[in-house]
């Protein structure tokens, strides 16, 4: 399987080589405007996402926490039966969930090191420090960058045994086609018997899903609108952010939660680093995020397309979230 993912993005999604400016200009010039959701996660956005994870409506994090807590012994047995391995954690953040597994691995004296990958350098510094304090016996090699950085790391360490964690339903933020490309790319760097533990949010009551992305306290709205603030801060944008509104919509046929920013009036917005002005009609939308919700059968097919087989599926007690253990 050939690597298919494009490896040319900036490491942290910032404006280093103008990629951010270019993506914004491209997205806002389309007939249906859009902005890539990976730009949500600047310092402020990451902080808001931490708040989202504590919201009463945002069930995903708690559900996955339960899955990992209740199944930690079984999971670790699947990972650790053949000697040393690298545990690579894509989008590790504060690794609150992964620490459940790390503790269990240490308890069982498994031979492994931990490779957290995250776009936030600060998060990786803090995580390395907290692990050194809490579990000094665990070797940690943090990688700062987007997911493609993790793929590069996998490529460089191709011959060693690996367990990849891709938790939190982060896969759900890709377009369907991108998720296949990403998983196939990952698969091409894994060897026989390597594992992938992937968190996926499952189909459920549409209202439960919708509320999770349109919370009463308005934190998700702030998270979405922060993208415009970020364009103002980093690209010299002139968005009047109060003139845009968060709008979230769930399509139960496709199983996709979509988020938008809606222009409340007809307006022109200049963005210095793009050298251009963008026109918005009253009530025109910018599509900012997809979050896919899956049937287990779809997850199975997704894996199969890239040569992954399901070893076990671990569910939460409500069967609303699953961590799927794939092997090659
Ligand atoms: C990071 N990702 C899995 C979150 C999700 O649920 O799609 C991002 C998010 N967007 C709004 N709320 C949370």
């Amino acid at each position: 399987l050939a690597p298919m993912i494009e490896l040319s993005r900036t490491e942290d999604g910032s404006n280093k080589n103008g990629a951010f400016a270019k993506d914004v200009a491209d997205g806002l010039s389309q007939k249906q405007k859009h902005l890539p959701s990976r730009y949500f996660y600047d310092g402020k956005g990451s902080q808001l996402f931490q708040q989202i994870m504590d919201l009463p409506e945002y069930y995903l994090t708690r559900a996955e926490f339960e899955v990992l807590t209740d199944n930690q012994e079984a999971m670790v047995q699947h990972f650790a039966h053949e000697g040393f391995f690298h545990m690579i954690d894509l989008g590790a953040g504060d690794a609150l969930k992964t620490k459940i597994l790390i503790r269990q691995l240490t308890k069982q004296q498994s031979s492994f090191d931990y490779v957290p990958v995250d776009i936030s350098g600060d998060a990786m510094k803090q995580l390395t420090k907290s692990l050194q304090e809490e579990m000094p016996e665990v070797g940690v090699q943090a990688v700062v960058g987007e997911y493609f950085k993790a793929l590069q790391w996998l490529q460089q360490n191709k011959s060693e045994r690996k367990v990849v964690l891709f938790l939190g339903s982060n896969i759900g933020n890709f377009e369907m086609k991108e998720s296949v490309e990403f998983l196939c790319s990952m698969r091409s760097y894994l060897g026989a018997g390597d594992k992938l533990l992937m968190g996926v949010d499952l189909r459920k009551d549409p209202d439960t899903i919708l509320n999770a992305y349109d919370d009463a306290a308005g934190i998700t709205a702030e998270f979405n609108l922060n993208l415009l603030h970020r364009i103002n801060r980093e690209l010299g944008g002139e968005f009047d952010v109060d003139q845009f509104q968060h709008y979230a919509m769930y399509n139960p046929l496709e199983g996709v939660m979509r988020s938008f920013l809606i222009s409340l009036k007809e307006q022109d917005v200049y963005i210095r680093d793009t050298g251009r002005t963008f026109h918005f009609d009253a009530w025109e939308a910018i599509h900012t995020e997809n979050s896919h919700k899956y049937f287990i059968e779809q997850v199975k097919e997704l894996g199969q397309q890239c040569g992954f087989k399901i070893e076990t599926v671990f569910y939460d007690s409500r069967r609303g979230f699953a961590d799927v253990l794939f092997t090659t």
Side-chain angles (χ1 to χ4, degrees):
L1 291 163
M4 284 192 283
I5 203 92
E6 172 212 339
L7 296 181
S8 62
R9 288 176 187 155
T10 47
E11 272 179 27
D12 59 359
S14 76
N15 187 26
K16 260 186 218 133
N17 63 6
F20 184 25
K22 185 178 178 306
D23 289 341
V24 167
D26 286 352
L28 295 183
S29 331
Q30 306 293 316
K31 211 163 173 195
Q32 293 189 347
K33 293 182 168 63
H34 66 88
L35 291 168
S37 60
R38 62 202 165 86
Y39 291 115
F40 281 149
Y41 304 93
D42 65 345
K44 178 72 187 169
S46 303
Q47 213 182 311
L48 287 165
F49 183 57
Q50 289 289 333
Q51 278 176 256
I52 288 176
M53 290 193 288
D54 287 334
L55 288 170
E57 295 95 334
Y58 196 75
Y59 57 84
L60 289 83
T61 312
R62 278 185 302 278
E64 191 168 45
F65 202 87
E66 184 197 305
V67 179
L68 295 176
T69 305
D70 292 354
N71 298 286
Q72 50 186 299
E73 286 173 22
M75 284 178 176
V76 157
Q77 260 171 18
H78 281 276
F79 297 172
H81 60 90
E82 273 173 58
F84 181 83
F85 65 95
H86 299 289
M87 185 159 80
I88 301 105
D89 189 3
L90 304 183
D94 61 8
L96 217 63
K97 287 175 290 185
T98 313
K99 279 183 179 172
I100 301 168
L101 299 177
I102 301 177
R103 270 183 223 111
Q104 186 61 30
L105 284 163
T106 333
K107 202 166 132 192
Q108 303 202 355
Q109 298 187 322
S110 302
S111 170
F112 73 106
D113 71 1
Y114 177 53
V115 185
V117 183
D118 202 278
I119 205 165
S120 159
D122 284 348
M124 289 305 86
K125 255 187 240 154
Q126 277 170 27
L127 176 58
T128 307
K129 189 165 165 269
S130 90
L131 283 168
Q132 268 162 2
E133 284 164 11
E134 220 185 299
M135 291 172 268
E137 64 275 42
V138 177
V140 181
Q141 318 180 37
V143 178
V144 178
E146 283 191 11
Y147 295 141
F148 80 85
K149 257 273 165 136
L151 296 182
Q152 283 178 339
W153 192 94
L154 293 177
Q155 191 175 20
Q156 282 156 13
N157 296 275
K158 196 167 177 200
S159 60
E160 288 154 54
R161 222 169 73 74
K162 294 183 272 302
V163 172
V164 178
L165 307 179
F166 195 25
L167 306 180
S169 204
N170 285 333
I171 185 81
N173 296 131
F174 285 125
E175 295 290 344
M176 269 307 184
K177 187 168 155 274
E178 285 177 335
S179 59
V180 175
E181 286 177 359
F182 184 75
L183 286 183
C184 288
S185 221
M186 182 196 296
R187 172 65 188 88
S188 71
Y189 304 130
L190 298 180
D194 284 347
K195 319 263 180 218
L196 163 66
L197 184 70
M198 187 164 83
V200 286
D201 195 19
L202 302 176
R203 302 282 185 114
K204 58 180 65 61
D205 181 346
D207 286 334
T208 305
I209 296 175
L210 188 59
N211 291 337
Y213 294 83
D214 200 7
D215 62 280
I219 307 294
T220 310
E222 219 187 305
F223 174 71
N224 197 5
L225 288 161
N226 176 57
L227 194 46
L228 303 186
H229 285 298
R230 183 176 184 186
I231 293 172
N232 287 352
R233 283 191 293 267
E234 293 183 25
L235 304 179
E238 295 182 2
F239 279 104
D240 181 354
V241 178
D242 289 343
Q243 294 305 323
F244 287 83
Q245 167 189 292
H246 167 70
Y247 181 71
M249 194 182 88
Y250 179 65
N251 181 332
L253 273 176
E254 297 174 87
V256 187
M257 186 63 228
R258 293 198 171 87
S259 296
F260 305 88
L261 290 167
I262 312 271
S263 174
L264 296 180
K265 61 172 190 188
E266 184 175 3
Q267 51 187 323
D268 289 308
V269 179
Y270 176 67
I271 304 175
R272 187 195 60 215
D273 290 3
T274 66
R276 295 182 46 188
T277 297
F278 300 91
H279 180 77
F280 296 85
D281 277 323
W283 307 112
E284 186 175 351
I286 312 171
H287 178 201
T288 53
E289 188 180 46
N290 285 336
S291 292
H292 287 85
K293 312 299 162 190
Y294 303 88
F295 292 118
I296 271 302
E297 197 51 35
Q298 289 178 300
V299 183
K300 187 175 167 189
E301 276 165 27
L302 188 61
Q304 259 169 1
Q305 286 185 66
C306 299
F308 283 109
K309 293 184 291 272
I310 290 188
E311 201 164 283
T312 317
V313 182
F314 301 99
Y315 293 93
D316 73 323
S317 53
R318 296 183 181 190
R319 294 218 152 209
F321 196 97
D323 279 290
V324 180
L325 183 67
F326 286 108
T327 189
T328 53

